[in-house]
Amino acid sequence: MGKQDKIFEEGNVSGLPFSFNQEVTEVFEDMIDRSVPGYNTTLRIIQQQTKNHYIDGSNIYDLGCSLGASTSSLLNALNGRSKVIAIDNSESMVRACTERFSKYIKTGQANFLKEDISYSEILNASIVVINFVLQFLNIKEREELMQKIYRGLVPGGILILSEKVHFDSKKRTEEISNIHHSFKAANGYSKLEISSKRDSLEGVLVTETESQHLDRAKEIGFKVSTKLMSNLNFLTYKFQK
Ligand SMILES: C[S@@+](CC[C@H](N)C(=O)[O-])C[C@H]1O[C@@H](n2cnc3c(N)ncnc32)[C@H](O)[C@@H]1O
């Protein structure tokens, strides 16, 4: 585990919108663990689903890999049977991964690319993971990326998608959001830290509803949608081609 996240301890002093810079990279593991309910279970589910759905000779992708937590789940499940192509557009994240996963890079089991996933090539894939990343793209980019993933999957291949969502009813969104803030407070974040991070994420992390995600996947052509996990306003889905 890296350093403890204290970025918003004094409020959003820089007044900057949130970005995955060096400062965030250094505390990211602590940040996501204390902020996303069920995050570690998501990683276990990715591992288990990869074991179940990997197709011999196919490619595996982790889009928006950050520090490679999902990549680790994929590598554990594959046990050397295929290469994981992990992509992120944050220079500091990719640099950290290149150090952490040097053993896997040397043996050809993993490849880390500093790229915008909107422009990445996805080919012959049986597993694509996009774990809490789509929410950072604009709506048009989401649509295009989902279409590209669909085209890049082999028949029977799966996309594992995790997202933060909001609800149709404003009242329910507020209620669940308050519970989420209590979850963060119980994990040691102060009220100031919670509200400053929320302000800094405004317009950067833009949520959709569960049905928006489901409708998009269906329209693109995914045959099966399976909810793998749901914790407050965080969901994990499996979409199968
Ligand atoms: C919440 S983190 C993802 C966590 C990670 N998938 C995991 O399972 O631990 C979001 C990541 O998406 C990356 N990201 C956001 N937009 C991106 C884009 N257009 N292309 C590539 N990476 C992007 C960010 O740099 C960040 O590292």
Side-chain angles (χ1 to χ4, degrees):
M1 181 76 76
K3 284 190 342 195
Q4 195 185 348
D5 172 23
K6 293 182 176 182
I7 292 178
F8 296 104
E9 207 172 32
E10 311 286 320
N12 184 8
V13 277
S14 57
L16 289 173
F18 188 86
S19 80
F20 292 95
N21 56 18
Q22 178 66 36
E23 191 185 21
V24 170
T25 298
E26 284 173 18
V27 301
F28 182 73
E29 279 172 317
D30 180 58
M31 176 185 276
I32 197 158
D33 186 49
R34 288 159 73 208
S35 306
V36 177
Y39 173 69
N40 284 302
T41 308
T42 318
L43 300 176
R44 287 209 292 277
I45 288 175
I46 290 169
Q47 183 163 333
Q48 180 210 41
Q49 289 295 314
T50 303
K51 280 187 185 160
N52 293 349
H53 290 282
Y54 171 67
I55 296 171
D56 276 335
S58 66
N59 296 324
I60 311 296
Y61 292 86
D62 181 10
L63 306 181
C65 61
S66 293
L67 290 176
S70 302
T71 314
S72 267
S73 298
L74 293 167
L75 288 167
N76 289 338
L78 291 165
N79 209 7
R81 285 181 294 160
S82 175
K83 174 184 270 193
V84 177
I85 301 153
I87 305 173
D88 205 289
N89 65 352
S90 157
E91 193 162 349
S92 49
M93 291 289 189
V94 174
R95 200 182 319 116
C97 284
T98 308
E99 281 171 25
R100 285 175 171 219
F101 290 89
S102 60
K103 189 181 97 189
Y104 292 96
I105 296 169
K106 271 189 205 130
T107 57
Q109 290 179 67
N111 201 4
F112 289 88
L113 306 175
K114 191 211 160 288
E115 248 176 43
D116 186 327
I117 52 175
S118 299
Y119 301 102
S120 301
E121 200 170 49
I122 297 167
L123 295 172
N124 186 36
S126 62
I127 319 275
V128 177
V129 172
I130 178 153
N131 209 31
F132 305 110
V133 180
L134 205 65
Q135 58 202 20
F136 294 104
L137 273 55
N138 70 41
I139 299 295
K140 187 166 173 276
E141 288 171 337
R142 294 179 197 191
E143 174 79 33
E144 289 170 358
L145 178 62
M146 289 287 287
Q147 285 173 354
K148 182 168 65 179
I149 292 171
Y150 182 80
R151 287 194 303 273
L153 282 168
V154 298
I158 61 161
L159 163 65
I160 302 174
L161 174 79
S162 300
E163 285 278 287
K164 185 177 185 185
V165 295
H166 64 265
F167 301 90
D168 288 326
S169 134
K170 203 172 166 206
K171 192 166 165 244
R172 180 150 172 77
T173 298
E174 259 172 37
E175 183 192 355
I176 301 292
S177 179
N178 286 338
I179 301 173
H180 177 224
H181 292 164
S182 309
F183 166 87
K184 291 180 77 169
N187 284 337
Y189 284 117
S190 69
K191 276 192 174 151
L192 179 64
E193 285 177 297
I194 294 168
S195 67
S196 304
K197 172 131 182 253
R198 191 190 53 212
D199 293 348
S200 151
L201 278 166
E202 184 82 37
V204 176
L205 190 172
V206 178
T207 56
E208 294 177 277
T209 61
E210 182 170 2
S211 53
Q212 282 172 308
H213 285 291
L214 289 175
D215 291 349
R216 181 190 289 120
K218 197 172 172 194
E219 260 172 45
I220 286 171
F222 284 101
K223 288 197 186 74
V224 191
S225 301
T226 311
K227 196 192 290 193
L228 300 174
M229 203 176 74
S230 163
N231 284 296
L232 302 176
N233 39 355
F234 294 83
L235 301 177
T236 300
Y237 262 92
K238 167 171 72 175
F239 298 121
Q240 189 160 24
K241 181 165 174 179

